[in-house]
Amino acid sequence: MANVNTFRESTRAWLEANCPPSMRQPIVDFEDRCWGGAKWKFVSEDQRRWLDVMAERGWTAPDWPSEYGGGGLSKEESKILREELYRIDARTPLFSMGLFMIGPAILKYGSEALKRQHIPDIVKGKIWWCQGYSEPNFGSDLAGLQARCEDKDDHYIINGQKVWTSYADRADWMFCLVRTDPDVVKHAGISLVLFDMNTPGVSTKPIKLISGKSPFCETFLDDVRVEKNQLVGELNKGWKLASYLLTHEREMIGNMGQAAASAKTLHQHATDVVGLENGVLNDSALRTDIARWEIDSKAYELTAERIRDETQAGQGTGATSSMLKYTGTEINKRRHELMLGIYGQQALGWEGDMFAGGTMASQWLRTKGNSIEGGTSEIQLNIISKRILGLGATG
Amino acid sequence: MALVLNEEQQMLKESARGFLQEHAPLAQLRRLRDERDAIGYSAESWAQMVELGWAGILVPEAYGGLDFGHVGMGQIMEENGRTLTASPLFATAILGVSALVLGGSDEQKKTLLPAIVEGSLTLALAVDEGPKHKPAQVTMTASKGGAESNNLKLNGAKQFVADGHVADKLIVSARTSMRSSAHSSTHSSAAPDDNDGISVFLVDRDAEGVTVERVMMADSRNSAMVTFDNVVVPQGAMLGQAGKGLALIEGLTDIGNAHLAAELLGISLEVFERTVQYMQERKQFGVLIGSYQGLQHRAAHLFSEIELTKSVVIKALQALDEKLLDKKTLDENSDAASLLCSMAKAKASEVAALATNESVQLHGGIGMTDEYDMGFYMKRARVAEHMLGDQRFHQRRFAALSGY
């Protein structure tokens, strides 16, 4: 316990000295959250410094091995660091697909050379990763994907099209699911490869969403050359990695609402806008809706915590990421519907300073995609039915 | 604290499940109902529970109990939700014991707690005066008993008292200060003087002037309407401080609701598991009904809701144990635990309603028959929800405790 206490004290002191005050303010705009990457424009010198000092200690990836630039912290120490960051409302220094998705996959399945090449850059936020999964005809039915990857002796050539590639126009590298064997059942002929988005033959086209924003692109792959050492794991065993990555993605998407919710509670918004009378919100129907949402939101947080604790204690049912993804995204959608209920037409303003450029409406609309991306709510319910409840055609 | 059971709590849960499934299954409640049993529970099963130490789980060791904590007791309640065993466990071993632990004088604890532990004393909480839980709405009075100034006279009535017709002693709320009785009926948190002047008393059920009428509820468990007509009680019968009774009742509300939430979770789990099993057995149109996606998704949604409930229930029970460890008194603000207990009751009630409704619907016609067990769970889920405040009560309480 002594070491733990020392670690907490030294961490607290270090954060106090190194986390700039502006990095303790709530995240408002997309760019307030640092995604890193070669093309990243830091919103402030503080944002750059905060990333640099944290990355230097490996604390952007606290529990990754220090030999690849990670923090090398134990679970207990990582938890203390999280708590201390939370205590001062520090923004996460780096939020990236590298950290949440491809990094863990490379650490688990990648070759030593791949780890040495990619992990330190992920920790430092130098590379913006995007994922090449969905294709125009293969969304929920992901394993049917057709992007063809042919063996050309000393390299691969890829031809095909990806869609819903997050920020492909800003990304530096892609981790991409490709078909390496077209003659076997669909799950058995898939591989995971990595390539630079500047490779000749890679082109992107943004997709405009109902929110007015374009966070996703179509990505076209025409005779794209990929080096053989950029294959992650074994050839034709990519579906296992895809499942692993989808699990991470589900957890990340399920959690997104919580990060946003922590800035200001729904009832604080309501209190500011609707007002209290004798300490009670001046709209009893809204009050009940908010209370029900806050109870569900807290229940979701506690469930994520309980499942982590159960895993650590070697208990639990497993296969819970689908349940967390389903509940987390549905709860987040409800949150934004309630924001509309609180702010009324103010939340539906689309243009101009009066409506902060339509931020609230845009965010509300964006959440509608949460229960589609990373496997729809219906796919998650299918997974729960089959894998956890054992319900199926044959019983 | 990690949101998991420790080894001892896990063992208690398993032994509780073993005992209840074997010795006090749902068939027992069905029999008690059909035979219109006079006391409404099996005295033999209760004696066995006492033997197992369950009556003393919340009793401090100094008074002969096990001091095993709320998380442990909550596991028994969850298992009890699976078997719907009728017994004095909730009214006596949870509410009664907690009333004494939170409000009792050392003398009261010394005489009464060991009696509960050994099974010779049962209690019942009589605080509601109408069909809904409104703890501040108390019109019952405790007035000076004339020349013998140490005595008080109770007048009024209490409704829906669980175990009220069999318990040896009743825990009763009454106004000891008259000034606020006039405007107590509107809003529970309206004016501060509404909440002052309530005191809590221990009254013998067979005391002169106490009239108990047993009422049959949908869940086939014990309930009673009780009237008090010039019932004389000594000053020493008061539990806790004069005029501070509402704080005591709020503390009991927290505890009671966390345990009811555990019971409701057990009900949800039981009907859910039975329903999934039925979906894997029942065939229509030549295939298992569990192969239909329309039904699969309803089951998967229910699974997710129950997972959320598990987390709030264990968190609330842990909060009660932590509060006890902190040795906080009632006067200290214990909003954090109250918030979690209301959260647990609100969520567990909502999900138990969903689970019992879905279980009947997914079973189809057989779910509507009395012969099948589903109806028992639906009925108990609603009664348990409405005891000490339904989901709406706790949503409002959650909002109030959160400052809106």
Side-chain angles (χ1 to χ4, degrees), chain A residues 85-99:
Chain A
L85 286 165
Y86 184 79
R87 195 183 68 84
I88 59 168
D89 295 323
R91 289 180 187 175
T92 174
L94 179 65
F95 184 91
S96 81
M97 303 264 274
L99 284 179

PDB file of all heavy atoms in Angstrom, chain A residues 85-99:
ATOM      1  N   LEU A  85      -6.353  11.985 -12.959  1.00  0.00           N
ATOM      2  CA  LEU A  85      -6.722  12.808 -14.121  1.00  0.00           C
ATOM      3  C   LEU A  85      -8.163  13.284 -13.977  1.00  0.00           C
ATOM      4  O   LEU A  85      -8.487  14.445 -14.226  1.00  0.00           O
ATOM      5  CB  LEU A  85      -6.556  11.999 -15.417  1.00  0.00           C
ATOM      6  CG  LEU A  85      -5.116  11.756 -15.883  1.00  0.00           C
ATOM      7  CD1 LEU A  85      -5.067  10.652 -16.938  1.00  0.00           C
ATOM      8  CD2 LEU A  85      -4.505  13.038 -16.448  1.00  0.00           C
ATOM      9  N   TYR A  86      -9.002  12.362 -13.554  1.00  0.00           N
ATOM     10  CA  TYR A  86     -10.421  12.683 -13.390  1.00  0.00           C
ATOM     11  C   TYR A  86     -10.598  13.744 -12.296  1.00  0.00           C
ATOM     12  O   TYR A  86     -11.415  14.647 -12.420  1.00  0.00           O
ATOM     13  CB  TYR A  86     -11.186  11.395 -13.034  1.00  0.00           C
ATOM     14  CG  TYR A  86     -12.679  11.572 -12.942  1.00  0.00           C
ATOM     15  CD1 TYR A  86     -13.465  11.629 -14.092  1.00  0.00           C
ATOM     16  CD2 TYR A  86     -13.312  11.680 -11.701  1.00  0.00           C
ATOM     17  CE1 TYR A  86     -14.832  11.791 -14.014  1.00  0.00           C
ATOM     18  CE2 TYR A  86     -14.689  11.842 -11.616  1.00  0.00           C
ATOM     19  CZ  TYR A  86     -15.447  11.896 -12.780  1.00  0.00           C
ATOM     20  OH  TYR A  86     -16.799  12.054 -12.693  1.00  0.00           O
ATOM     21  N   ARG A  87      -9.802  13.618 -11.251  1.00  0.00           N
ATOM     22  CA  ARG A  87      -9.913  14.518 -10.103  1.00  0.00           C
ATOM     23  C   ARG A  87      -9.720  15.981 -10.501  1.00  0.00           C
ATOM     24  O   ARG A  87     -10.391  16.871  -9.988  1.00  0.00           O
ATOM     25  CB  ARG A  87      -8.861  14.136  -9.046  1.00  0.00           C
ATOM     26  CG  ARG A  87      -9.076  14.728  -7.665  1.00  0.00           C
ATOM     27  CD  ARG A  87      -7.938  14.338  -6.728  1.00  0.00           C
ATOM     28  NE  ARG A  87      -6.686  14.964  -7.104  1.00  0.00           N
ATOM     29  CZ  ARG A  87      -6.319  16.194  -6.758  1.00  0.00           C
ATOM     30  NH1 ARG A  87      -7.100  16.916  -5.981  1.00  0.00           N
ATOM     31  NH2 ARG A  87      -5.164  16.704  -7.157  1.00  0.00           N
ATOM     32  N   ILE A  88      -8.795  16.216 -11.452  1.00  0.00           N
ATOM     33  CA  ILE A  88      -8.547  17.608 -11.856  1.00  0.00           C
ATOM     34  C   ILE A  88      -9.250  17.935 -13.177  1.00  0.00           C
ATOM     35  O   ILE A  88      -8.950  18.938 -13.828  1.00  0.00           O
ATOM     36  CB  ILE A  88      -7.034  17.909 -11.961  1.00  0.00           C
ATOM     37  CG1 ILE A  88      -6.364  16.977 -12.986  1.00  0.00           C
ATOM     38  CG2 ILE A  88      -6.348  17.783 -10.610  1.00  0.00           C
ATOM     39  CD1 ILE A  88      -4.939  17.413 -13.349  1.00  0.00           C
ATOM     40  N   ASP A  89     -10.194  17.058 -13.597  1.00  0.00           N
ATOM     41  CA  ASP A  89     -10.930  17.263 -14.857  1.00  0.00           C
ATOM     42  C   ASP A  89     -10.007  17.382 -16.060  1.00  0.00           C
ATOM     43  O   ASP A  89     -10.301  18.112 -17.013  1.00  0.00           O
ATOM     44  CB  ASP A  89     -11.810  18.529 -14.784  1.00  0.00           C
ATOM     45  CG  ASP A  89     -12.915  18.400 -13.763  1.00  0.00           C
ATOM     46  OD1 ASP A  89     -13.448  17.286 -13.655  1.00  0.00           O
ATOM     47  OD2 ASP A  89     -13.221  19.389 -13.076  1.00  0.00           O
ATOM     48  N   ALA A  90      -8.872  16.688 -15.999  1.00  0.00           N
ATOM     49  CA  ALA A  90      -7.927  16.791 -17.117  1.00  0.00           C
ATOM     50  C   ALA A  90      -8.512  16.143 -18.373  1.00  0.00           C
ATOM     51  O   ALA A  90      -9.149  15.101 -18.303  1.00  0.00           O
ATOM     52  CB  ALA A  90      -6.615  16.102 -16.751  1.00  0.00           C
ATOM     53  N   ARG A  91      -8.287  16.802 -19.506  1.00  0.00           N
ATOM     54  CA  ARG A  91      -8.688  16.184 -20.762  1.00  0.00           C
ATOM     55  C   ARG A  91      -7.760  15.017 -21.047  1.00  0.00           C
ATOM     56  O   ARG A  91      -6.590  15.040 -20.673  1.00  0.00           O
ATOM     57  CB  ARG A  91      -8.548  17.188 -21.915  1.00  0.00           C
ATOM     58  CG  ARG A  91      -9.560  18.282 -21.867  1.00  0.00           C
ATOM     59  CD  ARG A  91      -9.347  19.216 -23.047  1.00  0.00           C
ATOM     60  NE  ARG A  91     -10.222  20.372 -22.929  1.00  0.00           N
ATOM     61  CZ  ARG A  91     -10.196  21.404 -23.762  1.00  0.00           C
ATOM     62  NH1 ARG A  91      -9.311  21.425 -24.752  1.00  0.00           N
ATOM     63  NH2 ARG A  91     -11.018  22.405 -23.595  1.00  0.00           N
ATOM     64  N   THR A  92      -8.315  14.019 -21.721  1.00  0.00           N
ATOM     65  CA  THR A  92      -7.435  12.934 -22.121  1.00  0.00           C
ATOM     66  C   THR A  92      -6.453  13.512 -23.145  1.00  0.00           C
ATOM     67  O   THR A  92      -6.849  14.234 -24.057  1.00  0.00           O
ATOM     68  CB  THR A  92      -8.247  11.741 -22.657  1.00  0.00           C
ATOM     69  OG1 THR A  92      -7.351  10.770 -23.152  1.00  0.00           O
ATOM     70  CG2 THR A  92      -9.213  12.144 -23.750  1.00  0.00           C
ATOM     71  N   PRO A  93      -5.141  13.266 -22.981  1.00  0.00           N
ATOM     72  CA  PRO A  93      -4.155  13.941 -23.835  1.00  0.00           C
ATOM     73  C   PRO A  93      -4.224  13.491 -25.298  1.00  0.00           C
ATOM     74  O   PRO A  93      -3.864  14.246 -26.191  1.00  0.00           O
ATOM     75  CB  PRO A  93      -2.814  13.552 -23.216  1.00  0.00           C
ATOM     76  CG  PRO A  93      -3.088  12.317 -22.442  1.00  0.00           C
ATOM     77  CD  PRO A  93      -4.504  12.405 -21.975  1.00  0.00           C
ATOM     78  N   LEU A  94      -4.701  12.267 -25.495  1.00  0.00           N
ATOM     79  CA  LEU A  94      -4.756  11.727 -26.859  1.00  0.00           C
ATOM     80  C   LEU A  94      -5.923  10.756 -26.935  1.00  0.00           C
ATOM     81  O   LEU A  94      -6.087   9.904 -26.064  1.00  0.00           O
ATOM     82  CB  LEU A  94      -3.437  11.000 -27.182  1.00  0.00           C
ATOM     83  CG  LEU A  94      -3.331  10.361 -28.567  1.00  0.00           C
ATOM     84  CD1 LEU A  94      -3.356  11.414 -29.666  1.00  0.00           C
ATOM     85  CD2 LEU A  94      -2.047   9.522 -28.666  1.00  0.00           C
ATOM     86  N   PHE A  95      -6.711  10.936 -27.967  1.00  0.00           N
ATOM     87  CA  PHE A  95      -7.884  10.091 -28.156  1.00  0.00           C
ATOM     88  C   PHE A  95      -7.758   9.555 -29.571  1.00  0.00           C
ATOM     89  O   PHE A  95      -7.914  10.308 -30.526  1.00  0.00           O
ATOM     90  CB  PHE A  95      -9.132  10.967 -28.000  1.00  0.00           C
ATOM     91  CG  PHE A  95     -10.426  10.226 -28.076  1.00  0.00           C
ATOM     92  CD1 PHE A  95     -11.011   9.720 -26.932  1.00  0.00           C
ATOM     93  CD2 PHE A  95     -11.067  10.040 -29.297  1.00  0.00           C
ATOM     94  CE1 PHE A  95     -12.220   9.040 -26.991  1.00  0.00           C
ATOM     95  CE2 PHE A  95     -12.262   9.364 -29.366  1.00  0.00           C
ATOM     96  CZ  PHE A  95     -12.847   8.856 -28.213  1.00  0.00           C
ATOM     97  N   SER A  96      -7.439   8.286 -29.711  1.00  0.00           N
ATOM     98  CA  SER A  96      -7.195   7.843 -31.086  1.00  0.00           C
ATOM     99  C   SER A  96      -7.542   6.386 -31.299  1.00  0.00           C
ATOM    100  O   SER A  96      -7.566   5.580 -30.375  1.00  0.00           O
ATOM    101  CB  SER A  96      -5.732   8.092 -31.457  1.00  0.00           C
ATOM    102  OG  SER A  96      -4.911   7.064 -30.949  1.00  0.00           O
ATOM    103  N   MET A  97      -7.790   6.074 -32.562  1.00  0.00           N
ATOM    104  CA  MET A  97      -8.047   4.694 -32.960  1.00  0.00           C
ATOM    105  C   MET A  97      -6.791   3.862 -32.767  1.00  0.00           C
ATOM    106  O   MET A  97      -6.861   2.655 -32.588  1.00  0.00           O
ATOM    107  CB  MET A  97      -8.433   4.660 -34.442  1.00  0.00           C
ATOM    108  CG  MET A  97      -9.626   5.504 -34.771  1.00  0.00           C
ATOM    109  SD  MET A  97     -11.105   4.500 -34.789  1.00  0.00           S
ATOM    110  CE  MET A  97     -11.016   3.923 -36.451  1.00  0.00           C
ATOM    111  N   GLY A  98      -5.641   4.523 -32.796  1.00  0.00           N
ATOM    112  CA  GLY A  98      -4.393   3.818 -32.539  1.00  0.00           C
ATOM    113  C   GLY A  98      -4.364   3.279 -31.121  1.00  0.00           C
ATOM    114  O   GLY A  98      -4.037   2.119 -30.875  1.00  0.00           O
ATOM    115  N   LEU A  99      -4.736   4.141 -30.189  1.00  0.00           N
ATOM    116  CA  LEU A  99      -4.711   3.742 -28.784  1.00  0.00           C
ATOM    117  C   LEU A  99      -5.788   2.710 -28.464  1.00  0.00           C
ATOM    118  O   LEU A  99      -5.550   1.756 -27.735  1.00  0.00           O
ATOM    119  CB  LEU A  99      -4.960   4.964 -27.889  1.00  0.00           C
ATOM    120  CG  LEU A  99      -3.809   5.942 -27.699  1.00  0.00           C
ATOM    121  CD1 LEU A  99      -4.273   7.095 -26.811  1.00  0.00           C
ATOM    122  CD2 LEU A  99      -2.603   5.249 -27.083  1.00  0.00           C
TER     123      LEU A  99
END
